[in-house]
Amino acid sequence: MAIGILTSGGDCPGLNAVIRGVVLKGTQIYKQEFVGFRDGWRGVVEGDAIPLERKDIQGIGKQGGTILGTSRTNPFDNGHGVETVRETMQRLGVDSIIAIGGEGTLAAANRLTDAGIKIVGVPKTIDNDIAATDYAFGFDTAVEIATEAMDRLRTTGDSHRRCMVAEVMGRHVGWIALHSGMAAGAHAILIPEQKTSLEQIVAWVTSVRERGRAPLVVVAEGFRLDTMDDPHSERGLDAFGRPRLGGIGEVLAPKIEALTGMETRATTLGHIQRGGTPTAYDRVLATRYGLAAIDAVIAERWGRMVSLSGTTITHVAFEDALGELNTVPQSRYDEAAILFG
Ligand code: F6P
């Protein structure tokens, strides 16, 4: 019997390093066979899988994206569910699954585990929003990319004496904004956890301008002004039914310009934050998750997700990993806010 691997949800630098870690240890130490389901749960539902041997994972640890493809397919949609998954597994000779994904993926994995499907999970979230792990791979890469972009925005902003607004990812939590903004010396960091008034943002921008500097405002896509009920979204819903976010920077820029008289430009980093090669930190973390995930399969730790606690890789039950978001604590925001304005 083979072990199936899938990557599901938004892609994330480090997915390939997880796959490599699983397959290397699984084939060399445990003498197991693997198949890779294509495009996440879609591959499971439709029985679309490829063999995964050692030769297939050579050199992929440093590659961005995922060699298996990904999608936001929910295995319980369109009349599918436990029976479809079971049928595919029997037909392809797959005994258990390693599911690499975020909240939606793990929720589906939890339901399947309850029905007796053997699954081990690996957390994947570029936003770093899963509370049951200290860090998820992909986050460090996103912060590096965002910081480098902001360093560049600052030199052009300084040259033109403009206010620059940099929008980064972060649907429910502002970790990418907080870390990249602190690293780049931002003058305001706007995150989903902290509704803020336009007057406050204008006060920070004005104080920077009065010192003769060009302000940098960092905003997470899920940020709301204190006058907004929901995050800015104008591109419909994704396959999980969530609003497609993006564009709050472009909403804020003209407001800041109108109230400060300072020319203000917005840049949305978007998927650039998710593309390309993972940092060394993310490669190491993702590889360690892969090694731990195959250990968990061999130890039959079904229904558990590998997680990072300090520097140690451990496991948590799916139900304990679900539902709680890793939000930016007030103390971390207050610490950063000392540097605003
Ligand atoms: O959930 C992670 C995330 O990176 C969010 O920050 C963002 O809203 C979303 O994925 C974008 O995903 P997609 O590329 O599927 O629209």
Side-chain angles (χ1 to χ4, degrees):
M1 294 294 266
I3 298 164
I5 307 177
L6 63 86
T7 53
S8 168
D11 76 331
C12 186
L15 288 168
N16 285 324
V18 178
I19 297 167
R20 175 175 167 273
V22 169
V23 174
L24 264 187
K25 189 166 186 182
T27 54
Q28 300 315 293
I29 306 297
Y30 296 124
K31 311 298 177 201
Q32 297 293 312
E33 289 182 2
F34 294 89
V35 300
F37 288 109
R38 300 182 64 190
D39 305 338
W41 294 111
R42 186 197 68 74
V44 180
V45 168
E46 297 179 11
D48 186 1
I50 52 170
L52 265 186
E53 296 173 17
R54 186 172 185 178
K55 66 175 171 47
D56 301 310
I57 50 94
Q58 274 166 10
I60 66 167
K62 55 185 172 301
Q63 279 174 23
T66 160
I67 61 165
L68 297 177
T70 187
S71 70
R72 295 197 190 274
T73 302
N74 185 331
F76 288 92
D77 280 353
N78 302 318
H80 296 296
V82 180
E83 281 321 308
T84 314
V85 172
R86 217 189 292 279
E87 273 167 31
T88 297
M89 290 176 73
Q90 272 167 6
R91 186 155 43 84
L92 300 181
V94 172
D95 182 52
S96 58
I97 292 177
I98 294 177
I100 312 165
E103 182 93 5
T105 309
L106 297 173
N110 191 33
R111 281 180 73 183
L112 292 168
T113 302
D114 285 347
I117 308 283
K118 299 172 178 177
I119 304 180
V120 162
V122 177
K124 175 242 46 147
T125 151
I126 204 155
D127 295 352
N128 207 35
D129 58 2
I130 296 180
T133 186
D134 284 356
Y135 280 100
F137 60 87
F139 170 67
D140 185 66
T141 306
V143 170
E144 277 298 320
I145 293 168
T147 302
E148 208 237 316
M150 285 171 204
D151 289 347
R152 291 173 189 276
L153 289 175
R154 290 202 68 176
T155 65
T156 175
D158 278 336
S159 304
H160 287 270
R161 291 189 189 279
R162 287 172 174 157
C163 173
M164 305 304 277
V165 178
E167 181 184 312
V168 297
M169 282 188 171
R171 172 173 291 273
H172 303 294
V173 307
W175 286 110
I176 296 176
L178 187 84
H179 279 219
S180 58
M182 265 187 121
H187 302 101
I189 300 173
L190 310 175
I191 61 176
E193 295 88 334
Q194 300 281 341
K195 278 189 171 185
T196 309
S197 68
L198 190 57
E199 292 70 33
Q200 173 63 81
I201 299 167
V202 165
W204 283 323
V205 168
T206 305
S207 119
V208 179
R209 187 192 54 191
E210 284 171 356
R211 294 200 315 278
R213 304 291 314 279
L216 172 67
V217 176
V218 176
V219 58
E221 61 183 358
F223 168 75
R224 292 165 299 164
L225 285 167
D226 60 356
T227 50
M228 295 165 69
D229 289 331
D230 299 308
H232 179 75
S233 169
E234 53 187 11
R235 298 189 199 121
L237 304 179
D238 69 16
F240 281 175
R242 308 179 311 173
R244 289 202 184 95
L245 301 185
I248 183 67
E250 292 287 358
V251 170
L252 292 177
K255 295 186 195 298
I256 294 171
E257 180 165 316
L259 290 168
T260 62
M262 187 170 204
E263 187 177 353
T264 303
R265 299 292 185 91
T267 300
T268 302
L269 295 184
H271 293 86
I272 288 171
Q273 295 159 93
R274 291 212 318 232
T277 60
T279 58
Y281 178 89
D282 279 338
R283 294 182 205 186
V284 172
L285 178 59
T287 303
R288 294 183 71 206
Y289 276 160
L291 299 173
I294 185 61
D295 288 344
V297 168
I298 299 301
E300 305 196 345
R301 293 176 180 269
W302 312 126
R304 296 187 77 79
M305 177 192 94
V306 297
S307 83
L308 183 72
S309 174
T311 56
T312 304
I313 306 281
T314 169
H315 308 96
V316 292
F318 285 157
E319 57 260 30
D320 295 335
L322 291 165
E324 203 194 330
L325 279 175
N326 178 29
T327 51
V328 173
Q330 187 68 41
S331 59
R332 285 296 308 272
Y333 178 77
D334 292 344
E335 178 187 68
I338 301 285
L339 308 168
F340 295 174

